[in-house]
Amino acid sequence: MSGSKPDILWSPHHADRYVICDSELSLYRIGAVGTSEAKAGALPLSQETAATLLAINSDTPYMKCVAWYPKHEPECLLAVGQANGRVVLTSLGQSHNSKCKELVGKEFVPKHARQCNTLAWNPVDSNWLAAGLDKHRADFSVLIWDISSKYSPEAVPAEKLRLSGDADSGMVVTKPLYELGQNDACLSLCWLPRDHQKLLLAGMHRNLAIFDLRNTSQKTFVNTKAIQGVTVDPYFPDRVASFFEGQVAIWDLRRFEKPVFTLTEQPKPLTKVAWCPTRMGLLATLTRDSNVIRLYDMQHAPTPIGDETEPTIIERGVQPCSESVISSFAWHPSTQNRMVVVSPNRAMCDFTVFERISLAWSSTTSLMWACGRHLYECTEESGEGGAAEKDIATKMRERAQSRYGHDTVQLWRNHLLAGGNDPHLRSLWYTLESLMQQYTEDLEQRQQGNKQSLIYAGIKNIVKSSSGTTETRRCWKGSDRPTDVAQYHSEERSLALQLCGWISRGPEIDVEPFLRSLEQEGEWERAASVALFNLDIRRAIQILNKGASAEKGDLNLNVVAMALSGYTDEKSSLWREMCSSLRLQLKKPYLCVMFAFLTSEPGSYDAVLYESRVAVRDRVAFACMFLNDNQLPRYIDKLTNDMKEAGNLEGVLLTGLTKDGVDLMESYVDRTGDVQTASFCMLRGSTAEVVKDPRVQCWIENYRNLLDAWRFWHKRAEFDIHRSKLDPSSKPLAQVFVSCNFCGKSISFSCSAMPHQGRGFSQYGVSGSPTKSKVTSCPGCRKPLPRCALCLMNMGTPVSSCPGKSDEKVDLPRDKKLAQFNNWFTWCHNCRHGGHAGHMLSWFRDHSECPVSACTCKCMQLDTTGKLQPSDYV
Amino acid sequence: MELHILEHSLKVASIAKEGIQICTHGLIKLAFLPSKTRCKFFSLTETPEDYTIIVDEDGFKELPQSEYLSVADATWLALNVVSGGGSATSSQPIGVTKIAKSVIAPLADHNISVFMLSTYQTDFILVRERDLPMVMHTLSSEFTLLRVVNGETVAANCSGVTNGFVKPKLVPRPIIHPLSSPSNMFCVTSLDPDTLPSVATLLMDVMFYSGGGKEAGAQNEDSGHIRFFSFSLIEGYISLVMDEQTTRRFPNNVLFTSASGELWKMVRIGGQPLGFDECGIVAQISEPLATADIPAYYISTFKFDHALVPEENIQSVIGALRTNESTGQ
């Protein structure tokens, strides 16, 4: 601190008081803005706080440094180091305090005058005050004064006091308790909190030295340039920061030979370096004429190990009071991360450093973040009535738990496993169900390879290959009136209708079963429109009537039925005119398209085809009936592209599980993130081209990772099994082999099928030794396998895993036993003892040490994955 | 004990009294505006004969070349003894006395010429750069030698070469040069660099104008007073040596004074200019003082040497030195 630039000191015990010292000492109290007594003359420090000047002390000129008495009593006692080396005790606003009175005004005078650079109270023995002085050729640079020492007349002859200019010589002390550091200057010093008898000095001769007052002739020291402002980390008593010009060095007192690390050098000389007293490992530095306080967060380096490890430090700058230059700052002693900053013109600013936020997602949608000492958790609201849709991760997790995707017999049930409330998934699984049905029926009935691929390929490809279309003009059912509506038929169109679910297999086009099923489900409007599209107005009217009279039926359906019964094909009729305009006001899409169909010109059914609220399968079926060979592929192409763009799973009906289907699924995953559905769906695609698509592999891998992250290891295994059934190429190859200690060959039977081992094994295999021994001995050299440390039986490999071997080797009762995990080999990588997995697991349930006597290896504790528990139990 | 070899390359120069005007600009800059130069080592000593300047190379550039400026034709290095132990042993004897036996005498034995500059803070022993190997060889047994390089203190290893060095001749050192003791008393003091601007004009007056001209100085000398003033600014530390009358011109509390307020008397060595080649002069004076445990400051100038001893000891000092003188003759 120099005389002109103000410095700032917090009271060690009053969290609301601080002192600004420049040419005089000013005591301030900080308080909230607007508190009663703070009104008059309060200086605003921030939006919430203001400071009130309590007292000014200008008794001590030539101040160089100030230190606040660390104990509660007497409060507000300050030691002031002056330019001539004297240390004066003074006080602020405490005139009534008797104990203080005794001390205030006491002076400690060095033999030879020179500047006092630094002061430090001993944290334990608070009578001790260390003063660091500039160098004098014949004097010590560190003087430790005892403030309670009485004036001793023999120490200072009266005539020698002529220069002290102090009438009350009783207040002058000239005999220090200790003197240290001859012929050197002390620029900075601090007491070591671990041992209050020890003092760390930074001297002029470029060294840092630790003195022990119990034996002052010995010191530990290190040569360094960084000798200004030594300060001990309050949270880590062996960590010390010291600086020199623009550089800060961090020391570990236990390895004092060289700095643990140095911080990036600042272009301007540093003026203050201070550890945050409320936050571990946070160091603030200030350079001259700067408006930025740099903060170094050393959270990640509490104990640096080894010489070369460079600990991670996060550096950032804070600008507490916009553009104005900072003269000094002081951390608040108790409020976290708070500081008061003072500018050269004494403008002050109360400032809280905002804590870095570290954030972590859990694998189960909860979010946590830490800010300062607070930990916040944000979890998804699981309330049933929650309006917000659940996150896809939560959905997938729940679906994984309900075994979604695993129903391979009734594919449509998977949408129920998924919760049954997602229309997209419902449509998808029904589509896949029908695709699969067609596929299997095809296989059974025709055994013709040429059409199989088409069926999984979706309607788009089916209609493309359409040929031999016949055009018919049918009459309205139950009337002789011919219609001018052309209908088209072909084998492929029928197939498409089947896939859409309108008709069942067979040569006839009979929608009656479909209509009945729709009626059963109460989808009256849809049933009516399907009936209408099959030119059966009477049936449609009948359905509507039924719908109106059904439980909770909509009576409006009767009105619609009435309107429908008035149908006339007269082009200019009032009916037609009114229907075509009023149909737009109908809320139900199926009712709307019914009238659109009736009022549209033959061959142009855009109002039906592009009514997006109508299910894709119905629109496609409609298109297959009423569009000619030119219009149909164009319409299907357009619809397919729309579906792909929107990522609408209904489009799978069109694309099938082809490349197109992957494109569609890609945009679905992009939109929803639902890799689960994508994985299960595409695995059914089974053509190599589809499953090998990198996107599909990516979804599958991501889904497996998700299951791992949720610790759904059983689900993962199930998924892998499911996957390998549908995609045999995904079966993982054996990666770990157990080799025989004697011959070095793999002992697993499956490996013995490999050519290089085959000969040796078959040679021994027929040599007629008992089957039992083969299981527990090496198939290569017949030597016994190691024994289990617990049951002392030789371990063995399950024979069942040896496919294609002669039957005599299969020991059936053992087979089942061996196939279980309990009989697997397991051993500790550390002590190399092991045994049957089941035995080992049960042993370590009750013990921590290895079962082999005299082995103290804590095998299970070394196994980090052994401690993880799956979150899904089967 | 540690011996620090500082990194300043020093020049020793003399400015004739009548030529001081042309140098004042540079000198004021060096003395009062340290931030305007890169100079780290500056000392100015006024004696009745001349001004002696010790300045590092950066500072030397500030001085104009002129006929009044004579420079000793060598580069000097400053040595500084640090009691590395920091032991709480008695602080007496201080200054030159402390290092007389350990540094000055061995150097004199090896015929190494030294130039002394005592300040308030410490004592600098200046040796010629070319003598450094010899100095290091001589002192390596007694000291940990440390060299300052770019602000970092590093261990300086002695070359270890002993061949070619002359064996020291251990002869008694009689005092050859005449001694005189002026009557005025001196203060060795310092001040806070922050307060330097406030007394700068006063210091300038003392340095350059208050000599009262040549004739006044001569008169003073006749009446037993000597005109002697030294100012140094070395690595940011100010040291002042001035006589008691001059100190009274300074405001209260500006000058650092010791608690005991000690005053010093001067012993001036040399009847005619001593030159730079003769060795052993400092040793001749400091050794008897060390033997008698008398603290002293020692300031060499271009022409003569000056020792400062406590006022109460002056008689015993003169006595001790005279004895030495007589035994030498």
Side-chain angles (χ1 to χ4, degrees):
Chain A
M1 179 188 67
S2 71
S4 57
K5 277 194 180 171
D7 197 358
I8 182 164
L9 255 90
W10 274 102
S11 162
H13 295 294
H14 294 267
D16 62 340
R17 293 190 190 184
Y18 62 89
V19 157
I20 297 276
C21 26
D22 38 20
S23 55
E24 58 192 15
L25 297 163
S26 320
L27 177 69
Y28 288 90
R29 185 180 58 221
I30 195 163
V33 165
T35 48
S36 54
E37 78 267 48
K39 280 275 156 58
L43 302 157
L45 298 187
S46 68
Q47 285 178 332
E48 287 91 30
T49 53
T52 323
L53 182 63
L54 294 183
I56 292 182
N57 180 334
S58 45
D59 302 341
T60 49
Y62 315 113
M63 276 193 290
K64 284 291 166 189
C65 47
V66 180
W68 203 310
Y69 188 69
K71 290 279 162 79
H72 271 288
E73 281 291 318
E75 58 181 311
C76 224
L77 180 69
L78 294 167
V80 178
Q82 290 175 300
N84 57 8
R86 289 167 177 239
V87 179
V88 182
L89 296 184
T90 188
S91 166
L92 273 165
Q94 297 289 321
S95 53
H96 56 278
N97 191 314
S98 63
K99 183 165 188 214
C100 208
K101 224 172 205 166
E102 212 170 87
L103 293 167
V104 167
K106 211 161 190 175
E107 277 193 52
F108 304 92
V109 183
K111 272 202 284 295
H112 294 94
R114 55 254 144 88
Q115 182 171 315
C116 179
N117 291 320
T118 176
L119 285 171
W121 292 95
N122 188 302
V124 176
D125 201 336
S126 59
N127 279 340
W128 290 6
L129 176 64
L133 302 146
D134 262 344
K135 134 165 119 162
H136 184 271
R137 65 207 296 274
D139 209 346
F140 296 90
S141 61
V142 178
L143 305 174
I144 295 160
W145 304 99
D146 181 355
I147 59 160
S148 64
S149 73
K150 292 279 176 289
Y151 158 68
S152 45
E154 73 276 12
V156 184
E159 71 273 10
K160 290 290 186 188
L161 277 168
R162 59 190 167 182
L163 286 160
S164 72
D166 204 329
D168 185 8
S169 57
M171 298 303 273
V172 175
V173 179
T174 56
K175 183 124 184 68
L177 205 61
Y178 293 97
E179 297 172 310
L180 300 168
Q182 202 172 11
N183 205 359
D184 197 355
C186 177
L187 296 184
S188 179
L189 61 81
C190 59
W191 296 92
L192 296 186
R194 233 198 243 298
D195 186 347
H196 75 280
Q197 300 269 23
K198 283 188 176 171
L199 194 59
L200 176 66
L201 310 176
M204 190 44 210
H205 284 291
R206 299 179 182 85
N207 59 48
L208 288 177
I210 299 170
F211 282 94
D212 190 335
L213 294 184
R214 290 158 294 202
N215 182 4
T216 51
S217 62
Q218 280 191 344
K219 66 172 181 178
T220 331
F221 76 101
V222 62
N223 283 321
T224 172
K225 271 202 279 192
I227 48 168
Q228 283 175 285
V230 290
T231 168
V232 182
D233 186 344
Y235 284 93
F236 188 54
D238 284 318
R239 183 155 66 182
V240 172
S242 73
F243 66 94
F244 168 74
E245 291 185 350
Q247 204 160 44
V248 179
I250 309 292
W251 304 85
D252 187 333
L253 297 183
R254 298 165 302 183
R255 312 171 121 258
F256 203 36
E257 308 87 49
K258 63 172 190 175
V260 180
F261 53 89
T262 50
L263 304 179
T264 38
E265 191 157 0
Q266 300 297 314
K268 282 187 178 167
L270 291 157
T271 54
K272 186 154 185 170
V273 169
W275 295 99
C276 178
T278 49
R279 174 85 159 71
M280 191 157 127
L282 185 63
L283 186 76
T285 68
L286 175 68
T287 56
R288 201 178 63 202
D289 306 329
S290 164
N291 56 4
V292 174
I293 291 173
R294 302 214 74 76
L295 300 171
Y296 298 88
D297 195 339
M298 291 166 230
Q299 299 300 311
H300 306 277
T303 44
I305 317 150
D307 277 348
E308 305 310 322
T309 47
E310 197 88 345
T312 336
I313 298 164
I314 298 166
E315 178 185 347
R316 63 190 168 128
V318 291
Q319 212 170 318
C321 34
S322 62
E323 294 309 309
S324 75
V325 167
I326 300 163
S327 164
S328 185
F329 69 92
W331 289 108
H332 191 279
S334 53
T335 311
Q336 201 180 10
N337 289 0
R338 180 172 164 193
M339 56 166 72
V340 165
V341 171
V342 63
S343 63
N345 59 4
R346 264 190 173 219
M348 294 170 288
C349 172
D350 186 3
F351 178 73
T352 300
V353 176
F354 202 78
E355 190 64 58
R356 280 181 306 108
I357 290 178
S358 51
L359 180 132
W361 284 102
S362 86
S363 56
T364 55
T365 68
S366 64
L367 175 68
M368 271 210 150
W369 66 95
C371 181
R373 287 184 191 146
H374 302 281
L375 202 58
Y376 300 90
E377 187 182 12
C378 169
T379 45
E380 197 175 11
E381 217 173 281
S382 55
E384 288 297 314
E389 207 188 348
K390 276 179 189 162
D391 184 69
I392 187 65
T394 316
K395 281 192 200 165
M396 284 196 282
R397 195 159 175 270
E398 287 170 2
R399 287 170 187 172
Q401 274 173 316
S402 64
R403 302 190 68 254
Y404 169 61
H406 285 287
D407 197 328
T408 51
V409 182
Q410 285 179 290
L411 281 183
W412 64 274
R413 286 187 55 84
N414 280 316
H415 103 264
L416 296 178
L417 296 175
N421 50 11
D422 190 325
H424 284 282
L425 295 185
R426 182 187 151 89
S427 156
L428 173 73
W429 288 109
Y430 272 107
T431 304
L432 291 177
E433 166 93 16
S434 53
L435 284 175
M436 191 183 74
Q437 246 169 24
Q438 295 291 345
Y439 179 72
T440 45
E441 280 173 24
D442 241 29
L443 273 183
E444 282 164 15
Q445 293 179 8
R446 285 205 249 167
Q447 295 288 335
Q448 283 168 357
N450 60 339
K451 297 275 181 186
Q452 288 169 19
S453 61
L454 274 183
I455 293 159
Y456 255 114
I459 289 173
K460 185 184 164 190
N461 287 349
I462 291 169
V463 298
K464 245 182 205 156
S465 64
S466 175
S467 59
T469 310
T470 55
E471 185 181 331
T472 55
R473 279 165 200 273
R474 279 169 54 198
C475 302
W476 292 101
K477 243 181 214 166
S479 93
D480 300 336
R481 273 188 303 164
T483 57
D484 48 1
V485 181
Q487 270 186 308
Y488 301 89
H489 296 282
S490 72
E491 206 177 317
E492 286 77 15
R493 285 180 191 240
S494 306
L495 190 54
L497 286 180
Q498 286 170 29
L499 288 177
C500 291
W502 276 26
I503 56 171
S504 57
R505 192 148 194 94
E508 305 96 65
I509 296 171
D510 182 13
V511 291
E512 196 50 38
F514 180 53
L515 292 180
R516 272 200 292 272
S517 74
L518 286 177
E519 279 179 328
Q520 228 157 34
E521 285 165 46
E523 296 192 68
W524 307 108
E525 296 90 348
R526 191 175 167 202
S529 57
V530 172
L532 183 70
F533 295 154
N534 282 283
L535 306 177
D536 194 345
I537 289 190
R538 279 184 188 283
R539 178 82 173 102
I541 291 168
Q542 183 202 339
I543 291 167
L544 290 174
N545 283 335
K546 217 187 226 178
S549 58
E551 218 178 316
K552 285 189 212 158
D554 186 356
L555 288 176
N556 286 334
L557 292 179
N558 273 331
V559 182
V560 176
M562 271 155 71
L564 205 57
S565 61
Y567 167 71
T568 168
D569 50 2
E570 195 102 353
K571 292 279 182 241
S572 53
S573 69
L574 179 68
W575 185 92
R576 201 172 254 262
E577 192 189 330
M578 291 328 287
C579 282
S580 63
S581 59
L582 288 176
R583 72 170 181 90
L584 295 172
Q585 289 173 20
L586 288 171
K587 294 243 168 53
K588 307 249 166 106
Y590 281 98
L591 300 180
C592 188
V593 294
M594 276 162 72
F595 289 102
F597 172 68
L598 289 175
T599 58
S600 57
E601 292 301 315
S604 62
Y605 301 110
D606 284 5
V608 179
L609 295 173
Y610 296 107
E611 173 57 65
S612 59
R613 290 175 297 167
V614 170
V616 170
R617 58 181 66 241
D618 294 334
R619 283 191 276 159
V620 170
F622 178 87
C624 286
M625 287 177 89
F626 296 105
L627 292 185
N628 64 31
D629 277 356
N630 286 332
Q631 290 171 311
L632 182 62
R634 242 184 296 141
Y635 172 69
I636 297 290
D637 275 353
K638 186 169 185 317
L639 192 59
T640 307
N641 286 337
D642 288 351
M643 292 290 126
K644 275 205 257 180
E645 234 163 82
N648 189 337
L649 290 180
E650 288 183 77
V652 173
L653 182 69
L654 300 171
T655 63
L657 300 179
T658 55
K659 275 276 181 214
D660 268 345
V662 179
D663 289 344
L664 187 148
M665 194 56 82
E666 183 183 14
S667 65
Y668 169 74
V669 172
D670 286 350
R671 201 163 52 81
T672 61
D674 184 3
V675 289
Q676 186 182 35
T677 301
S679 303
F680 279 113
C681 173
M682 284 304 152
L683 270 176
R684 304 218 65 92
S686 78
T687 55
E689 183 202 13
V690 169
V691 179
K692 288 283 172 287
D693 189 294
R695 287 170 291 179
V696 174
Q697 291 299 318
C698 174
W699 299 330
I700 290 173
E701 282 313 311
N702 272 304
Y703 182 52
R704 294 177 73 230
N705 288 343
L706 265 178
L707 290 174
D708 282 345
W710 292 327
R711 292 185 290 149
F712 282 3
W713 294 314
H714 296 105
K715 300 285 175 212
R716 232 267 335 256
E718 261 183 278
F719 176 74
D720 282 347
I721 293 166
H722 175 74
R723 181 188 178 192
S724 62
K725 273 185 201 154
L726 292 170
D727 174 19
S729 64
S730 71
K731 213 171 240 172
L733 295 170
Q735 289 161 335
V736 180
F737 301 94
V738 179
S739 69
C740 170
N741 240 347
F742 300 101
C743 66
K745 284 177 186 163
S746 167
I747 59 164
S748 67
F749 278 91
S750 56
C751 285
S752 67
M754 288 181 182
H756 68 279
Q757 285 195 339
R759 196 188 60 88
F761 178 71
S762 56
Q763 203 177 4
Y764 291 107
V766 291
S767 68
S769 52
T771 313
K772 233 180 171 182
S773 71
K774 273 175 214 138
V775 179
T776 55
S777 64
C778 168
C781 63
R782 321 297 295 162
K783 297 251 173 63
L785 294 171
R787 288 169 193 276
C788 169
L790 285 167
C791 67
L792 302 179
M793 302 279 275
N794 289 95
M795 288 187 283
T797 51
V799 186
S800 66
S801 71
C802 167
K805 290 290 152 200
S806 54
D807 290 355
E808 58 178 32
K809 281 182 195 150
V810 183
D811 188 0
L812 277 173
R814 287 187 68 83
D815 176 27
K816 274 188 180 155
K817 252 172 108 188
L818 287 173
Q820 287 172 358
F821 170 73
N822 281 348
N823 283 340
W824 282 22
F825 287 36
T826 183
W827 63 92
C828 168
H829 287 254
N830 186 41
C831 66
R832 293 171 182 273
H833 297 134
H836 294 117
H839 296 159
M840 288 298 141
L841 277 177
S842 58
W843 171 266
F844 283 113
R845 226 165 273 148
D846 305 321
H847 302 82
S848 61
E849 284 186 359
C850 180
V852 174
S853 55
C855 177
T856 57
C857 179
K858 293 195 166 31
C859 315
M860 204 57 164
Q861 289 174 20
L862 298 172
D863 184 6
T864 48
T865 51
K867 278 174 239 154
L868 286 174
Q869 291 294 317
S871 53
D872 59 337
Y873 291 99
V874 273
Chain B
M1 296 271 272
E2 290 171 2
L3 185 77
H4 290 237
I5 303 162
L6 308 185
E7 61 183 338
H8 316 289
S9 296
L10 303 175
K11 292 282 182 193
V12 179
S14 163
I15 301 169
K17 288 242 158 170
E18 54 270 34
I20 193 66
Q21 295 91 333
I22 47 168
C23 297
T24 41
H25 173 77
L27 293 175
I28 287 169
K29 205 169 151 189
L30 289 169
F32 303 116
L33 302 165
S35 60
K36 302 279 183 211
T37 71
R38 292 163 51 94
C39 177
K40 291 269 164 45
F41 196 113
F42 169 71
S43 158
L44 172 126
T45 307
E46 184 191 2
T47 61
E49 294 77 26
D50 65 347
Y51 290 91
T52 299
I53 314 287
I54 306 168
V55 72
D56 62 14
E57 278 172 334
D58 285 319
F60 191 68
K61 292 177 195 141
E62 305 290 337
L63 297 177
Q65 298 301 313
S66 91
E67 52 183 316
Y68 299 109
L69 186 76
S70 37
V71 186
D73 60 341
T75 302
W76 299 78
L77 291 177
L79 309 180
N80 189 206
V81 174
V82 178
S83 55
S87 54
T89 50
S90 157
S91 63
Q92 296 287 334
I94 58 167
V96 174
T97 324
K98 188 176 65 186
I99 56 175
K101 292 221 155 92
S102 55
V103 182
I104 294 167
L107 291 181
D109 290 340
H110 282 84
N111 276 333
I112 297 164
S113 170
V114 298
F115 195 86
M116 284 295 301
L117 178 66
S118 293
T119 66
Y120 186 73
Q121 289 84 19
T122 190
D123 298 295
F124 295 101
I125 306 147
L126 274 59
V127 296
R128 285 189 181 92
E129 198 171 23
R130 61 165 185 263
D131 289 336
L132 189 65
M134 189 67 179
V135 171
M136 286 167 70
H137 169 73
T138 310
L139 300 177
S140 59
S141 57
E142 192 100 21
F143 291 93
T144 313
L145 298 180
L146 295 168
R147 185 146 200 182
V148 182
V149 179
N150 293 327
E152 299 273 11
T153 310
V154 294
N157 43 346
C158 180
S159 56
V161 182
T162 47
N163 313 352
F165 289 132
V166 196
K167 279 250 167 195
K169 46 178 202 308
L170 297 166
V171 291
R173 261 183 289 271
I175 290 168
I176 314 165
H177 298 281
L179 306 172
S180 57
S181 179
S183 61
N184 41 356
M185 292 200 278
F186 289 89
C187 276
V188 182
T189 182
S190 175
L191 52 81
D192 180 3
D194 290 339
T195 61
L196 186 62
S198 65
V199 290
T201 48
L202 176 59
L203 279 169
M204 282 182 229
D205 189 35
V206 172
M207 277 184 205
F208 305 121
Y209 304 107
S210 68
K214 283 168 281 177
E215 56 274 87
Q219 280 163 12
N220 276 350
E221 217 173 332
D222 292 339
S223 62
H225 279 259
I226 186 171
R227 173 74 207 142
F228 186 90
F229 174 81
S230 173
F231 172 93
S232 65
L233 177 61
I234 296 165
E235 290 173 348
Y237 286 103
I238 295 167
S239 171
L240 293 163
V241 179
M242 63 183 100
D243 65 12
E244 206 191 351
Q245 288 94 319
T246 314
T247 61
R248 292 195 197 113
R249 299 175 58 184
F250 284 83
N252 265 351
N253 288 324
V254 169
L255 297 180
F256 291 170
T257 48
S258 60
S260 52
E262 54 203 7
L263 289 172
W264 303 77
K265 288 207 81 167
M266 180 183 285
V267 177
R268 203 165 129 94
I269 302 113
Q272 54 196 351
L274 298 168
F276 291 94
D277 296 322
E278 189 181 334
C279 56
I281 305 172
V282 186
Q284 291 159 26
I285 307 296
S286 61
E287 273 192 304
L289 294 183
T291 311
D293 248 9
I294 296 167
Y297 288 83
Y298 199 100
I299 297 172
S300 301
T301 63
F302 206 80
K303 289 183 174 145
F304 301 104
D305 280 3
H306 308 81
L308 291 171
V309 294
E311 52 166 328
E312 60 267 30
N313 295 116
I314 186 70
Q315 289 317 319
S316 53
V317 169
I318 298 286
L321 297 180
R322 289 255 183 272
T323 342
N324 225 322
E325 203 172 9
S326 57
T327 50
Q329 275 161 358

